[in-house]
Amino acid sequence: MTMVVNPGKRDRLWRSVVIATPYLWLLLFFLVPFAIVLKISFADPLVAQPPFTAFFDWSADAGKRVLATLDNYRFLLEDKLYLVSYLKSIKIALISTGLCLLLGFPMAYAIALTPYPWRNLLLLLVILPFWTSFLLRVYAWMVMLGKQGLINNLLLSVGVIDEPLQMLYTDGAVYLGIVYTYVPFMILPLYATLEKLDLDLHEAAADLGARPLQVFRDVTLPLAMPGIIAGCLLVFIPALGEYVIPALLGGLDSLMIGRTLYDEFFVNRDWPLASAVAVVLLLILILPIMLFQRLQQEPEA
Amino acid sequence: MRRSSTFLYSLLCFGYAFLYLPILILMIYSFNDSRLATVWGGFSTRWYSALLDNSQILDAALLSLQIAVISATAATVLGTLAALGLNRMGRYRGRTLFTGMIAAPLVMPEVITGLSLLLLFVSLQELIGWPGTRGANTITIAHITFSMAYVAVIVQSRLASMDQSLEEAAMDLGGRPFAVTLDVTLPLIAPAMAAGWLLAFTLSLDDLVIASFTAGAGASTLPMVIFSKVKLGVTPEINALATIIIGIVTVGVLVAGWTMLRQQRQLANQQTRP
Amino acid sequence: MTETSGGNSANAGGACSGSPWKDPSQQPFIELQSLSKRFGQFSAVDDISLKIYRGELFTILGGSGCGKSTLLRMLAGFEKPSAGRILIDGVDITSSPPYERPVNMMFQSYAVFPHMTVEQNIAYGLKKEKLPRDEVARRVEEMLQLVQLPQLAKRKPNQLSGGQSQRVALARALIKRPKVLLLDEPLAALDKKLREQTQFELMNLQDQLGITFVVVTHDQEEAMTLATRIAVMDAGKFVQIGTPSEVYEFPRNRFIADFFGKINVFEATVVASDGQYLTARLDDSDTEIKTRHEQSLAPGSRCSIGVRPEKLLISTEAPAGEAYTVTRGVVEDLAYYGNRSLYRVRSQNGAVIQVSAQNYQRSAELLLEWDDEVFLSWESGCSVVLTE
């Protein structure tokens, strides 16, 4: 659909402005930074400002000599800390995604089955937390889970336990925090597909002899698949790199890669190593991100 | 059928309780006189007055608001342009990359975005001496970058559902592309732009990780201050702050949602009328 | 307009022989006993009893909201009746779930599973019966042949036309060899040409397979051409049940008369009534009319006499003979259709009467012109007394 048949100079200018302004912005502030991260991940750390060696040595005697090193990546492989962090992040992200699906699917389904004026309200209730501060919502769980937190106090007063349980600063709290903050991201795309689901199809399957669970397996689930995939990616990808939740709710051993990267950068001030951590994280994520993009573009086509 | 819907709705109720109970309890405890988070020491607003005396928090809040307003506005402009560029400008070279750059920030882990932007600023500083000191300026740029993607997605979905024949009609009547955008497209996507602005605004107010990376030593946004306080444990003043913030956001979202719903209804009414 | 010839062929071609509903010794195949469905205060189906016989192509006809869909959904098992029973082949299925009923349905939307191929759609029901693989394959193949779709077996539904989707939906239901096939507005989504073709195909299929069909429709033409019997439904109740020609020629009341084509209504005063014949005087022409009516009405009371446009004769001279009722008028408007002409005649007291006349003679000129004075007449057997 070419809308401009024979554009004049002025019209072409407008077209260039529309395309070029955001394009250049994103090139400069989104794409180029990745190139820089990649570059610095091959540099050596220095106690200096900035704390890394240059990629090109511009000094006169050296000419144009490439000063690249694979030390950072070698270190990532050698030091167990990183491998453990990556694996643990993947494990936590996967399990929380599964939990989000388990909670989000029935919720989305129930919303999609609700008749109209009420449905909008239920949807609003899902979206509302999305607008309120993420940080404060994670913090709310500190109030709930702490040694002197609400849950412990409740259990103590009922007499189920004699001394407070360690709930805060554990992996369990991290799972809880991730499910809590990301479940709306699961519900919304699921709702979008389930809402379009034709109830006639369910009845047709039942009419042809499928029992309720078979109807779910044969009709509902396959037709909801695009929403399930989108929802899972929307939870998995950010959860994998999550920093705030493990930092606030996790224990010292809740080593998620986002937290490791953050600490490497701010505590150890090893920028090249942090960059290498980021590059590997991005490599892990590239497949799910591309899958997500494919999914986003499909409705357009 | 009935049994399964009872099951669904009880899970739905559980889900909402799960989503809302912690916030509610947090809000209730913001009125707790006792410093201990969960020992009820009677009703009090002392943490609210303590909050008002805390200039560090107030300064940070002011800075955050400033950054949020500026970055949301810029992100709305850039995001809208991007949506138009993707949806109304036909084909051109590099469109695929453009699409990718719009969608990627939505799912990019914050630590990566933050780190890469900081490294960009540091490199630019070395290369051309800009941006000088890092602070509100660099945070704003970072926020514009990731929130413009959200604006673009919202506006794009509106554009996609919009009848292109309206713009074609305007052109048929002699409107040049710029005028058509101004006279026809913009008024029609204005609600989406408003929604995009609001989302960009809250995303900016909410961001901790990217701001932490891109802020220099000088600037502390509200989430940064909150984070440094709660990292050490439950803080009653933060409960009060959370109550205020959540209260404002809730009212804001409800008012915005209500207005939009009304506009949609009016629009629907106008369209259904023959 | 309804063509009676179509209705006749449907009756002749139907799998059910004779008129079992007239024979009290016949066992009904489907029996509804005082069936009701209430949604809150609203009665969608209100105390309906009905007997449908084996091999019938029974049509339930009514406007939207009359309760016909609810009735069908109760037969399929998607709605639980508030009261009453449903028996099929002598078995009470009132409380069995849809997946255990010997009943299958063709949905108005067709509800073809979008994620399965044509073949998989058709095989679905048999797979649920856990039939051996080769038997499923054989019967799917057979069914594809029957609905003339073998070349489309591997297609996905989004690559099918409306007519093809309909065949898939039909095949998918028929392959289960149901005792009863329910069809919800089977022709509504098709264009005119396809409708006529599909209509005859449906009738042929039903004839071949001998399955009892229950069709729900809002389209009287569809009902007339398909059905062995029609039940006209309004506000949750049956207004009249009969063969297409019965409901057309002997409508019980004005609602039904209007529902099936056009009818001219003459107001009249009862002169005499003996429970067999009714004599009345037309307001219009001061002529007396004698017509069959098996309900006694008091002399002096008012009644309406209905006459279908094609039953009226139009002529410039008064017809001779005792058998005719005659009234007069002026041609106000006429439309020439080739095979027939439609006249709108203004009667003496100002009412508009429609006449549909076959053009028996070949003539380049119109036999009647605007403003011609004409006589309208009909044989006394052609009129019907309409109650409100």
Side-chain angles (χ1 to χ4, degrees):
Chain A
M1 38 126 237
T2 327
M3 287 179 47
V4 186
V5 180
N6 187 13
K9 213 179 211 171
R10 241 180 342 155
D11 304 335
R12 264 198 311 251
L13 179 71
W14 171 234
R15 187 178 144 91
S16 326
V17 167
V18 167
I19 297 171
T21 321
Y23 206 120
L24 290 177
W25 182 283
L26 285 170
L27 274 183
L28 179 61
F29 292 112
F30 188 72
L31 208 60
V32 170
F34 285 125
I36 297 176
V37 171
L38 192 65
K39 187 197 92 175
I40 292 174
S41 73
F42 293 110
D44 273 328
L46 276 185
V47 185
Q49 191 57 267
F52 51 86
T53 55
F55 195 66
F56 302 112
D57 189 343
W58 297 102
S59 54
D61 58 307
K64 249 190 189 175
R65 197 156 53 85
V66 177
L67 293 177
T69 165
L70 284 172
D71 283 356
N72 299 310
Y73 292 96
R74 209 168 289 139
F75 192 66
L76 282 188
L77 282 176
E78 279 164 9
D79 193 326
K80 279 274 184 320
L81 172 82
Y82 301 99
L83 199 63
V84 168
S85 291
Y86 281 118
L87 289 179
K88 188 150 189 182
S89 297
I90 292 174
K91 179 184 150 203
I92 290 182
L94 273 178
I95 293 178
S96 339
T97 305
L99 292 173
C100 278
L101 184 61
L102 278 182
L103 178 62
F105 195 101
M107 286 182 76
Y109 202 18
I111 295 171
L113 289 178
T114 306
Y116 244 107
W118 292 105
R119 199 195 285 191
N120 282 333
L121 181 77
L122 293 180
L123 267 182
L124 187 73
L125 282 174
V126 172
I127 299 168
L128 196 60
F130 188 68
W131 293 81
T132 57
S133 169
F134 162 72
L135 181 59
L136 289 171
R137 284 191 301 130
V138 175
Y139 166 68
W141 278 104
M142 296 178 71
V143 178
M144 300 280 285
L145 296 176
K147 271 239 162 81
Q148 296 181 329
L150 191 86
I151 295 177
N152 264 324
N153 277 11
L154 213 69
L155 291 177
L156 280 171
S157 68
V158 176
V160 183
I161 50 172
D162 295 328
E163 51 186 61
L165 296 172
Q166 180 67 47
M167 286 184 289
L168 194 55
Y169 310 128
T170 60
D171 284 357
V174 176
Y175 286 119
L176 190 72
I178 293 180
V179 174
Y180 178 68
T181 43
Y182 288 109
V183 81
F185 291 92
M186 180 66 85
I187 296 174
L188 292 178
L190 275 177
Y191 165 77
T193 49
L194 287 173
E195 178 217 31
K196 280 182 266 167
L197 233 170
D198 187 356
L199 282 182
D200 276 2
L201 295 176
H202 290 141
E203 292 188 344
D207 186 62
L208 295 168
R211 288 159 183 287
L213 273 177
Q214 291 175 322
V215 175
F216 183 77
R217 190 196 60 200
D218 297 344
V219 179
T220 319
L221 215 51
L223 288 174
M225 213 28 103
I228 294 176
I229 295 173
C232 285
L233 290 174
L234 275 176
V235 175
F236 177 80
I237 298 170
L240 189 66
E242 183 56 51
Y243 167 71
V244 175
I245 295 170
L248 287 183
L249 302 180
L252 287 173
D253 59 337
S254 291
L255 286 170
M256 286 188 73
I257 198 64
R259 196 175 167 196
T260 309
L261 189 157
Y262 193 92
D263 289 347
E264 203 58 64
F265 190 86
F266 283 104
V267 182
N268 300 341
R269 287 190 59 81
D270 191 338
W271 291 19
L273 189 60
S275 299
V277 172
V279 169
V280 174
L281 177 56
L282 208 58
L283 285 177
I284 296 173
L285 283 177
I286 218 144
L287 214 72
I289 288 179
M290 277 168 60
L291 191 64
F292 179 74
Q293 294 223 5
R294 278 275 301 277
L295 241 103
Q296 289 291 100
Q297 282 157 22
E298 252 165 32
E300 275 178 55
Chain B
M1 215 53 189
R2 185 155 299 159
R3 219 173 340 134
S4 62
S5 60
T6 318
F7 169 75
L8 281 182
Y9 280 101
S10 39
L11 261 176
L12 188 68
C13 291
F14 169 78
Y16 285 125
F18 175 63
L19 283 179
Y20 284 95
L21 263 183
I23 301 177
L24 259 164
I25 284 162
L26 181 71
M27 291 170 98
I28 292 170
Y29 276 102
S30 74
F31 295 103
N32 186 4
D33 194 48
S34 162
R35 175 166 280 282
L36 288 168
T38 50
V39 182
W40 186 255
F43 179 86
S44 155
T45 52
R46 63 185 269 216
W47 305 115
Y48 289 87
S49 24
L51 194 65
L52 287 177
D53 292 334
N54 189 329
S55 62
Q56 189 201 6
I57 287 183
L58 290 183
D59 288 347
L62 214 63
L63 180 69
S64 275
L65 279 175
Q66 239 171 9
I67 292 173
V69 169
I70 297 172
S71 68
T73 309
T76 304
V77 173
L78 286 170
T80 304
L81 288 179
L84 287 172
L86 285 175
N87 231 294
R88 285 295 191 269
M89 292 295 159
R91 313 215 153 272
Y92 43 88
R93 240 187 315 155
R95 192 176 177 279
T96 317
L97 177 67
F98 197 12
T99 321
M101 289 195 299
I102 284 294
L106 303 178
V107 286
M108 193 56 64
E110 290 168 314
V111 278
I112 295 183
T113 313
L115 176 74
S116 64
L117 276 164
L118 172 66
L119 294 180
L120 171 80
F121 292 135
V122 172
S123 307
L124 281 177
Q125 178 67 37
E126 287 226 336
L127 223 61
I128 58 170
W130 181 86
T133 52
R134 272 175 276 128
N137 54 344
T138 45
I139 299 174
T140 308
I141 289 175
H143 283 184
I144 292 170
T145 308
F146 79 85
S147 50
M148 72 179 272
Y150 285 86
V151 176
V153 167
I154 293 177
V155 174
Q156 222 186 329
S157 71
R158 173 79 187 118
L159 280 174
S161 69
M162 216 171 82
D163 191 356
Q164 199 152 333
S165 60
L166 292 172
E167 284 141 314
E168 284 163 357
M171 254 196 280
D172 181 62
L173 297 168
R176 295 187 157 275
F178 176 67
V180 170
T181 308
L182 211 64
D183 300 341
V184 180
T185 318
L186 279 188
L188 288 171
I189 58 175
M193 288 169 68
W197 189 91
L198 275 174
L199 185 60
F201 180 77
T202 47
L203 283 171
S204 168
L205 267 191
D206 209 19
D207 167 64
L208 166 71
V209 175
I210 295 172
S212 302
F213 273 100
T214 50
S220 282
T221 61
L222 190 58
M224 288 162 75
V225 173
I226 295 174
F227 185 68
S228 66
K229 284 195 181 300
V230 302
K231 214 156 56 167
L232 306 171
V234 174
T235 323
E237 274 165 288
I238 299 300
N239 294 357
L241 182 67
T243 307
I244 294 173
I245 291 179
I246 291 169
I248 293 173
V249 169
T250 308
V251 170
V253 168
L254 288 179
V255 168
W258 184 71
T259 336
M260 253 180 257
L261 204 72
R262 236 181 42 161
Q263 273 177 347
Q264 271 175 8
R265 274 206 196 125
Q266 272 172 1
L267 212 68
N269 283 345
Q270 281 162 10
Q271 279 165 356
T272 48
R273 230 168 271 150
Chain C
M1 287 306 295
T2 14
E3 303 292 339
T4 33
S5 58
N8 289 338
S9 77
N11 293 342
C16 90
S17 49
S19 307
W21 51 89
K22 284 184 180 152
D23 178 0
S25 69
Q26 282 280 340
Q27 279 299 310
F29 192 59
I30 305 174
E31 193 170 2
L32 310 183
Q33 297 176 344
S34 312
L35 201 64
S36 292
K37 177 69 187 180
R38 284 180 292 275
F39 296 105
Q41 293 292 321
F42 173 70
S43 277
V45 171
D46 192 4
D47 195 22
I48 272 182
S49 293
L50 176 67
K51 289 173 181 166
I52 298 174
Y53 296 86
R54 190 186 293 272
E56 265 202 90
L57 205 165
F58 194 90
T59 299
I60 299 164
L61 175 69
S64 64
C66 72
K68 59 185 193 300
S69 293
T70 309
L71 185 58
L72 195 74
R73 290 172 59 78
M74 284 196 282
L75 275 168
F78 301 131
E79 302 282 356
K80 277 217 162 61
S82 308
R85 298 206 302 160
I86 303 170
L87 287 88
I88 289 180
D89 209 4
V91 180
D92 187 337
I93 58 152
T94 316
S95 50
S96 25
Y99 44 88
E100 283 170 5
R101 293 189 181 204
V103 167
N104 287 109
M105 174 142 154
M106 194 181 91
F107 289 74
Q108 186 181 1
S109 67
Y110 307 146
V112 177
F113 301 126
H115 56 300
M116 299 181 193
T117 61
V118 166
E119 212 170 38
Q120 288 167 330
N121 261 286
I122 297 176
Y124 186 80
L126 294 187
K127 284 185 186 151
K128 293 300 112 179
E129 286 179 19
K130 303 230 161 62
L131 288 185
R133 214 174 258 261
D134 48 337
E135 191 186 344
V136 173
R138 189 178 53 75
R139 275 170 70 177
V140 168
E141 184 53 39
E142 214 176 271
M143 199 40 80
L144 282 167
Q145 295 290 349
L146 186 70
V147 296
Q148 299 156 34
L149 288 176
Q151 72 284 4
L152 301 180
K154 305 286 182 208
R155 292 255 185 108
K156 280 281 184 78
N158 58 8
Q159 300 165 299
L160 300 180
S161 71
Q164 290 165 341
S165 302
Q166 196 221 30
R167 284 152 190 267
V168 175
L170 189 65
R172 190 178 68 175
L174 284 176
I175 201 168
K176 299 265 293 177
R177 297 180 182 157
K179 290 186 172 166
V180 180
L181 182 71
L182 308 174
L183 300 103
D184 190 0
E185 306 270 0
L187 307 176
L190 302 177
D191 61 46
K192 196 170 175 354
K193 196 139 191 189
L194 208 53
R195 286 173 73 118
E196 284 173 7
Q197 188 194 334
T198 313
Q199 204 161 290
F200 286 107
E201 279 175 10
L202 273 180
M203 277 153 34
N204 284 338
L205 265 177
Q206 200 254 352
D207 202 9
Q208 269 179 47
L209 302 170
I211 295 172
T212 308
F213 279 27
V214 178
V215 179
V216 148
T217 179
H218 69 278
D219 180 5
Q220 40 92 12
E221 200 173 327
E222 193 174 314
M224 297 282 282
T225 44
L226 282 175
T228 50
R229 282 193 300 158
I230 298 174
V232 185
M233 205 170 168
D234 185 40
K237 285 183 178 295
F238 289 144
V239 187
Q240 186 171 3
I241 302 173
T243 62
S245 49
E246 276 168 3
V247 289
Y248 183 76
E249 302 291 359
F250 302 98
R252 181 171 287 175
N253 61 22
R254 234 166 138 152
F255 171 79
I256 296 197
D258 280 338
F259 212 96
F260 295 95
K262 296 202 173 80
I263 195 156
N264 295 304
V265 178
F266 298 91
E267 299 303 326
T269 309
V270 178
V271 176
S273 164
D274 60 0
Q276 252 198 330
Y277 287 93
L278 178 134
T279 313
R281 180 168 294 277
L282 297 188
D283 294 3
D284 211 28
S285 53
D286 224 25
T287 42
E288 278 194 1
I289 173 172
K290 194 175 177 191
T291 185
R292 248 190 110 81
H293 191 61
E294 281 159 7
Q295 218 179 325
S296 286
L297 292 173
S301 63
R302 305 283 297 160
C303 67
S304 303
I305 308 291
V307 189
R308 297 272 181 204
E310 73 277 8
K311 303 286 191 294
L312 280 165
L313 302 173
I314 188 165
S315 54
T316 45
E317 276 159 37
E322 291 276 299
Y324 290 102
T325 307
V326 184
T327 183
R328 297 177 62 171
V330 175
V331 175
E332 197 175 75
D333 211 347
L334 63 86
Y336 177 72
Y337 289 100
N339 60 340
R340 65 194 173 90
S341 294
L342 190 69
Y343 302 90
R344 288 162 65 87
V345 177
R346 177 77 62 183
S347 74
Q348 284 160 327
N349 72 344
V352 172
I353 301 164
Q354 296 209 26
V355 184
S356 169
Q358 291 291 324
N359 294 323
Y360 294 114
Q361 290 164 0
R362 188 166 167 197
S363 163
E365 275 156 46
L366 295 170
L367 296 172
L368 289 166
E369 288 281 1
W370 280 267
D371 297 330
D372 278 354
E373 286 229 9
V374 289
F375 291 89
L376 300 175
S377 55
W378 65 90
E379 281 185 68
S380 58
C382 289
S383 55
V384 58
V385 178
L386 300 173
T387 56
E388 241 359 271

